[in-house]
């Protein structure tokens, strides 16, 4: 049996793992009394600025509530037949749908590809989406190293 150890990924390896988009889990802080709200989401990643972009279903009455400025943690990982890898990003969501978004945000959207993942109980064309971005306050990337057999 192989012994495993984890190690930090380099920024280049992290960016290669994240690509320009994929899927992961977004956890939203609720309050000190309530468990965080966590949901599978698709993301876009801009390696030039290390920024994540999200297309989130807009439903003001949902459990996730108001999103702009909310503390979040985003996790994406891969395991399968390869050694495992994971990236964890924490910070606050920023509304990227508003009228006063900067050219920096628009440029970031040009560099990402957010997959459209159907996890809804109705056709995706009937779902209204809003766009958010996460400029991480903290960003960690780890991977498994195999030693011996």
């Amino acid at each position: 049996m192989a012994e495993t150890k984890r190690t930090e990924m380099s920024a280049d390896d992290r960016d290669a793992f994240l690509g320009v988009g994929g899927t992961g889990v977004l956890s939203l802080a609720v309050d000190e009394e309530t468990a965080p709200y966590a949901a599978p989401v698709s993301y876009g990643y801009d390696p030039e600025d290390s920024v994540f972009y999200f297309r989130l279903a807009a439903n003001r009455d949902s459990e996730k509530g108001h999103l702009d400025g909310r503390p979040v943690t985003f996790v994406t990982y891969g395991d399968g037949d390869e050694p495992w890898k994971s990236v964890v990003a924490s910070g606050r969501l920023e509304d990227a749908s508003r009228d006063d978004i900067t050219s920096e945000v628009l440029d970031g959207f040009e560099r990402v590809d957010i997959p459209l993942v159907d996890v809804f109980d109705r056709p995706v064309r009937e779902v209204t989406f809003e766009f958010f971005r996460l400029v991480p306050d903290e960003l960690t990337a780890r991977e498994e190293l195999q030693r011996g057999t």
Side-chain angles (χ1 to χ4, degrees):
M1 178 174 216
E3 184 180 334
T4 62
K5 179 181 177 183
R6 71 177 189 174
T7 187
E8 294 291 321
M9 271 192 253
S10 69
D12 288 342
D13 287 346
R14 177 199 66 214
D15 292 348
F17 170 69
L18 291 169
V20 293
T23 59
V25 176
L26 186 67
S27 297
L28 303 150
V30 177
D31 58 43
E32 291 183 25
E33 309 270 323
T34 309
Y37 176 85
V41 297
S42 55
Y43 72 90
Y45 177 69
D46 177 9
E48 187 171 310
D49 296 324
S50 299
V51 173
F52 294 87
Y53 291 85
F54 303 99
R55 177 192 305 118
L56 303 175
N59 181 355
R60 297 290 181 208
D61 298 328
S62 81
E63 294 176 67
K64 52 184 189 246
H66 183 74
L67 297 174
D68 190 29
R70 286 275 292 282
V72 298
T73 298
F74 174 69
V75 177
T76 187
Y77 62 91
D79 52 9
D81 292 334
E82 300 294 319
W84 62 260
K85 296 179 181 191
S86 68
V87 173
V88 179
S90 298
R92 293 186 179 271
L93 283 181
E94 298 175 5
D95 185 349
S97 302
R98 62 184 193 267
D99 293 335
D100 64 341
I101 60 174
T102 65
S103 61
E104 172 189 8
V105 173
L106 293 174
D107 290 345
F109 272 115
E110 291 291 322
R111 293 188 290 265
V112 304
D113 180 21
I114 305 171
L116 186 56
V117 178
D118 185 0
V119 295
F120 306 99
D121 57 359
R122 61 186 190 270
V124 174
R125 69 182 178 284
E126 295 176 11
V127 178
T128 302
F129 293 96
E130 293 177 340
F131 293 90
F132 292 87
R133 73 183 202 142
L134 171 60
V135 180
D137 294 330
E138 189 173 335
L139 181 60
T140 59
R142 295 186 175 101
E143 64 184 328
E144 174 183 43
L145 292 181
Q146 294 188 338
R147 299 183 304 182
T149 53

